[in-house]
Amino acid sequence: MNISIGGYSFNNTYLEGKMDVFGYLETVRYRYGLDVADLWNGFFIDRTSKPVMKLADEGYIRKIKEALDERELRVVNFAIDGAHLWDPDPELREHLYENALIHLRAAVMLGAETVRIDTGGSYTDTEPMGDEQFEFTVRRYQQFSEFASDNGFRIGPENHMGASLQPRELKRLAEAVNHPAFGFLVHLGRWRADREEGDRLVAPWAYHTHFDAETASSPDAIQTISTLREAGYNGYWGIEHNAPENQYGETSRLIGLVQQHLANEAESHKGEA
């Protein structure tokens, strides 16, 4: 089944000291029987070093890769925090860039198939990008897309922060970057503008998806799946929801919901030419 579980779904379990990245891998493989890891670097970065959150050393990354191979897991997505592109402070932008390069090398080591590096911006100011920010962001994603293409993965932001929460801004960005290795991790339904058509507007560039509790429970979920499939999406359907408690049970519930939506959506298209 094309289901994944974003690592952030177990953030509270991690904060309680009850899970590390190896426990996450064990959980997705043997508790849920999945064939992919939907990695989040929050399990193996220094969270005290915000906003440039430093990655574990290469020796630790190699151990994660060994654990993936032992469990026969592929990395369907590697979501990276603390290495976003834009900040108004040029010096901080340079530190973020250096951190992004370190994470990109880790992505290659881990065999990631897609990589999420955000545009930057705040979580409250979701206005369109100004000219300087937009031109800088386009150039940087073009550079990263070349690296991704050379190493066999796709890259791009999630609708996560700043202007990326506006689907028309992401569409404008994709058209300007204009690279086959560039795309989006689409957190379904998470928009601050054009919510009704947001998923449709960015669907042609989707390389991975995340459902949360709200979108997985939505009566529009089947239509959302159809919208992405009609745009050519054939990737994984991720669960990413950091439930306040009972995270194992809540993740199981959401997996069941998404599986049912996928089955119903497929049944609705039976017999079509």
Side-chain angles (χ1 to χ4, degrees):
M1 59 180 174
N2 281 15
I3 298 283
S4 66
I5 304 170
Y8 183 69
S9 298
F10 298 107
N11 183 46
N12 285 335
T13 304
Y14 167 87
L15 292 174
E16 292 171 358
K18 296 177 180 178
M19 182 182 282
D20 61 8
V21 65
F22 303 104
Y24 163 78
L25 298 179
E26 195 79 358
T27 294
V28 298
R29 183 68 182 93
Y30 297 114
R31 180 183 283 262
Y32 298 106
L34 304 182
D35 61 358
V36 294
D38 197 338
L39 283 180
W40 171 53
N41 72 336
F43 280 120
F44 44 100
I45 53 175
D46 177 5
R47 297 202 201 182
T48 66
S49 60
K50 291 181 180 180
V52 184
M53 293 180 279
K54 296 180 180 178
L55 188 65
D57 62 40
E58 287 193 3
Y60 196 80
I61 301 302
R62 282 193 290 272
K63 290 178 181 178
I64 297 172
K65 175 58 175 170
E66 289 168 4
L68 287 160
D69 291 344
E70 288 167 0
R71 293 161 180 78
E72 298 182 325
L73 288 167
R74 297 163 20 237
V75 179
V76 68
N77 181 251
F78 180 29
I80 297 169
D81 285 346
H84 48 273
L85 272 59
W86 176 259
D87 188 275
D89 180 347
E91 185 176 352
L92 182 52
R93 281 204 303 270
E94 186 62 25
H95 289 310
L96 289 163
Y97 171 63
E98 292 168 359
N99 201 34
L101 295 179
I102 292 168
H103 276 82
L104 288 176
R105 290 195 291 271
V108 175
M109 292 175 65
L110 293 166
E113 297 174 10
T114 64
V115 173
R116 184 268 277 168
I117 291 183
D118 282 321
T119 56
S122 75
Y123 292 99
T124 55
D125 180 5
T126 59
E127 292 299 311
M129 288 181 265
D131 291 344
E132 180 189 8
Q133 180 181 355
F134 185 75
E135 292 168 7
F136 174 89
T137 302
V138 168
R139 289 196 305 272
R140 193 66 88 207
Y141 277 130
Q142 287 173 335
Q143 175 193 349
F144 287 172
S145 295
E146 280 296 309
F147 181 88
S149 180
D150 290 344
N151 288 280
F153 62 88
R154 296 185 71 189
I155 193 167
E158 183 178 2
N159 46 325
H160 194 207
M161 61 195 301
S164 70
L165 288 163
Q166 293 200 31
R168 294 185 189 279
E169 275 296 275
L170 282 188
K171 182 176 185 290
R172 181 168 79 108
L173 180 63
E175 290 170 345
V177 174
N178 190 29
H179 196 289
F182 181 77
F184 304 129
L185 193 173
V186 182
H187 191 114
L188 301 165
R190 184 167 66 189
W191 304 107
R192 296 285 181 85
D194 301 306
R195 186 180 174 100
E196 296 297 319
E197 56 180 345
D199 295 337
R200 179 186 62 79
L201 287 169
V202 302
W205 296 279
Y207 62 64
H208 190 50
T209 62
H210 279 160
F211 279 95
D212 58 26
E214 180 182 355
T215 49
S217 304
S218 170
D220 298 324
I222 293 174
Q223 181 56 52
T224 296
I225 292 167
S226 290
T227 295
L228 266 75
R229 283 186 165 162
E230 288 166 6
Y233 182 72
N234 61 359
Y236 276 69
W237 304 91
I239 306 297
E240 188 192 59
H241 178 64
N242 184 38
E245 57 186 6
N246 187 29
Q247 295 202 303
Y248 293 111
E250 182 65 4
T251 297
S252 292
R253 184 183 75 85
L254 296 178
I255 288 174
L257 281 175
V258 172
Q259 285 178 316
Q260 189 61 58
H261 296 324
L262 292 169
N264 290 343
E265 195 275 340
E267 183 68 25
S268 71
H269 291 287
K270 274 190 175 179
E272 293 182 1

